[in-house]
Amino acid sequence: MSLIRTDYIISPYSAEQSILEISGDYFTINTDAKKLIEILSVSKNYQEATHIFNSDFQNINLNENEFIRFIENIFAEIPIFNSSSLEVKKTKSFIKFQRTLLSPSIASQLANCILFLFNKKVFWIIFPVLFISGIFTIIATPVPYKNISPLWIFVFYTLSIFFHELGHIAACKKYTRQNGEIGFGIYFLFPVLYSNISAIWHGSKEERIITNLAGIYMQLWCMLCFYVAYWFTQNETALFLTYFTAVYCIIQIFPFIRSDGYWLLSDISSTSNLLGKSGKEVKLFIKHPLQWLREKREKKIFLLIYGLFNTLILTYFIVYQVLFHWKDILYFPITVLDILKLIFTLQFSHISLPDHFIVTSVFYLLLFTQIKNLFSRFSQKKETA
């Protein structure tokens, strides 16, 4: 009988790290922890495991009791043992009040219809073309804010968001033959859809990258459909949808906050919890620059550059909006309330979006993000005080 449970899966993540899955929970482990699991899986008892361990790690010589304490410490937060009664501490999700809309099986059936789009050769040919088309659309399209229908914008844009999440599901299923649900939740004050693609941890780096881009990829297809509709009908609502979808896709590719671009950069650099690690790197550099220079840590320069760049970009955007678009920011809540009143009273023809409405929406999203982060840090300091 194995000393550890057998219902686990280990997949490579980077040269130094692997992903360990146990009953739907995922853990990042290093090369030595992986070797320990391999030793425990082939050992009949701890005496045998200790002997193999001492043979493989010749610079260490432990007795049986020392070895048991050692592995219990290593796997203190990973329920790898048969007798483990440890309740895994769930990572706090940035999406609150999650509710399942489509079960994994139904999401899988819908994803079957678009699996062919995620053939790797097809994806790497079409995605760059669509993405460049999106950039050109933003540059060349005169944005119509008049003679548009907010109702149809809401309907079709929501549909494009659904395809965004379905794209993630389809790519995950294509490369792992597994997928989770599509659900609904609240991201700060904003209702959002989400897709459970945890299984993609078992994919290769290229497959994880494609899966990260899959949502943008599907929305770029929607952008193309909106433009074709405009081409044939000259309907300004279709043109606005084309422009708005292109803007959203470009914003998503930037690795700020927890966008698709954030997860993309995380996988490209093989760095989990990118925001947290980069934030700590920036703090250490600012508070103790000499200590930061002396310490040898993997990716510290990359994390510092990302953290500083992320902070500077967000600060610049917020300051610029406050200085030059403060009226739009000030009246934005009133504008939203007026739009909601018209929607609830079914007066859709009276709805018109003001200039800079999209940019102001992004400003409020970023502002709420920063406020929430400050409250989280304050709460953590209170708990540790």
Side-chain angles (χ1 to χ4, degrees):
M1 182 179 176
S2 173
L3 294 173
I4 58 175
R5 57 199 299 171
T6 58
D7 59 337
Y8 66 86
I9 302 172
I10 296 180
S11 300
Y13 181 66
S14 66
E16 301 82 18
Q17 294 179 315
S18 297
I19 296 298
L20 170 66
E21 180 192 353
I22 301 176
S23 301
D25 293 309
Y26 295 83
F27 308 88
T28 305
I29 59 174
N30 60 26
T31 305
D32 290 339
K34 180 184 176 185
K35 183 63 179 176
L36 273 174
I37 291 174
E38 291 171 353
I39 291 172
L40 293 169
S41 67
V42 298
S43 301
K44 296 178 182 178
N45 52 55
Y46 285 113
Q47 183 179 4
E48 182 180 343
T50 304
H51 176 72
I52 297 173
F53 174 80
N54 288 332
S55 299
D56 289 353
F57 296 86
Q58 295 181 4
N59 59 329
I60 303 176
N61 188 22
L62 304 178
N63 61 41
E64 185 176 333
N65 289 332
E66 290 172 335
F67 175 72
I68 292 173
R69 288 195 297 271
F70 174 71
I71 60 174
E72 286 177 346
N73 182 57
I74 292 294
F75 299 112
E77 297 184 2
I78 302 177
I80 192 66
F81 300 103
N82 287 316
S83 58
S84 292
S85 58
L86 178 69
E87 191 171 314
V88 178
K89 185 179 180 181
K90 297 291 184 182
T91 303
K92 289 184 179 180
S93 174
F94 55 93
I95 299 178
K96 306 300 181 183
F97 309 110
Q98 295 183 7
R99 295 291 182 271
T100 298
L101 294 179
L102 296 178
S103 67
S105 59
I106 295 176
S108 175
Q109 292 174 22
L110 291 175
N112 287 336
C113 302
I114 56 173
L115 284 183
F116 70 95
L117 292 174
F118 294 96
N119 175 284
K120 291 179 182 178
K121 290 182 179 179
V122 171
F123 177 86
W124 289 121
I125 291 171
I126 296 178
F127 179 81
V129 174
L130 288 175
F131 191 77
I132 293 170
S133 300
I135 295 174
F136 180 78
T137 296
I138 295 171
I139 296 172
T141 302
V143 188
Y145 283 104
K146 309 299 180 183
N147 302 319
I148 60 175
S149 169
L151 175 62
W152 289 116
I153 288 173
F154 173 79
V155 170
F156 284 106
Y157 187 69
T158 301
L159 186 62
S160 78
I161 293 294
F162 173 77
F163 275 104
H164 179 114
E165 302 305 333
L166 189 63
H168 288 309
I169 292 290
C172 185
K173 181 181 179 182
K174 175 76 173 179
Y175 304 127
T176 68
R177 299 190 179 184
Q178 301 177 60
N179 65 268
E181 76 283 359
I182 292 177
F184 170 86
I186 302 295
Y187 182 40
F188 302 107
L189 300 180
F190 299 90
V192 294
L193 295 179
Y194 70 89
S195 50
N196 181 351
I197 53 171
S198 301
I200 199 57
W201 280 110
H202 296 305
S204 66
K205 176 176 281 194
E206 180 188 16
E207 291 164 351
R208 294 197 303 271
I209 288 172
I210 293 175
T211 303
N212 287 325
L213 292 170
I216 296 172
Y217 179 54
M218 290 309 301
Q219 276 196 281
L220 288 170
W221 275 109
C222 291
M223 177 199 73
L224 180 62
C225 292
F226 295 146
Y227 185 75
V228 170
Y230 169 72
W231 181 269
F232 283 105
T233 66
Q234 295 298 300
N235 185 290
E236 291 195 344
T237 296
L239 183 61
F240 182 87
L241 280 165
T242 305
Y243 176 83
F244 189 76
T245 305
V247 169
Y248 182 82
C249 290
I250 300 302
I251 290 174
Q252 280 286 303
I253 206 69
F254 286 102
F256 312 126
I257 60 177
R258 284 182 170 84
S259 62
D260 287 345
Y262 168 81
W263 303 113
L264 175 65
L265 183 60
S266 179
D267 274 322
I268 289 174
S269 62
S270 298
T271 308
S272 57
N273 189 22
L274 181 57
L275 272 177
K277 290 179 180 177
S278 64
K280 289 179 181 177
E281 209 69 48
V282 171
K283 286 180 183 177
L284 179 59
F285 177 77
I286 294 173
K287 291 181 178 179
H288 309 286
L290 293 178
Q291 179 185 341
W292 185 89
L293 289 170
R294 284 195 301 265
E295 290 184 1
K296 293 182 179 179
R297 286 187 310 282
E298 184 186 8
K299 303 175 185 173
K300 73 171 188 176
I301 296 176
F302 161 73
L303 290 171
L304 178 66
I305 292 173
Y306 171 77
L308 289 173
F309 186 71
N310 196 17
T311 302
L312 289 173
I313 288 292
L314 293 177
T315 302
Y316 170 78
F317 177 80
I318 290 174
V319 171
Y320 182 87
Q321 297 306 315
V322 170
L323 290 178
F324 297 100
H325 296 146
W326 61 270
K327 288 184 179 179
D328 296 315
I329 293 170
L330 189 62
Y331 288 105
F332 182 79
I334 298 173
T335 302
V336 171
L337 285 174
D338 289 340
I339 292 173
L340 289 174
K341 287 178 183 177
L342 292 172
I343 290 174
F344 286 127
T345 55
L346 305 180
Q347 300 180 58
F348 301 111
S349 60
H350 292 82
I351 298 175
S352 62
L353 299 179
D355 294 343
H356 307 117
F357 184 82
I358 297 173
V359 176
T360 309
S361 300
V362 174
F363 170 86
Y364 270 90
L365 173 61
L366 295 176
L367 183 63
F368 283 127
T369 302
Q370 299 309 310
I371 291 172
K372 184 177 182 297
N373 289 339
L374 288 173
F375 273 109
S376 297
R377 290 170 194 162
F378 179 74
S379 299
Q380 289 173 1
K381 287 181 179 179
K382 275 187 82 175
E383 289 175 3
T384 56

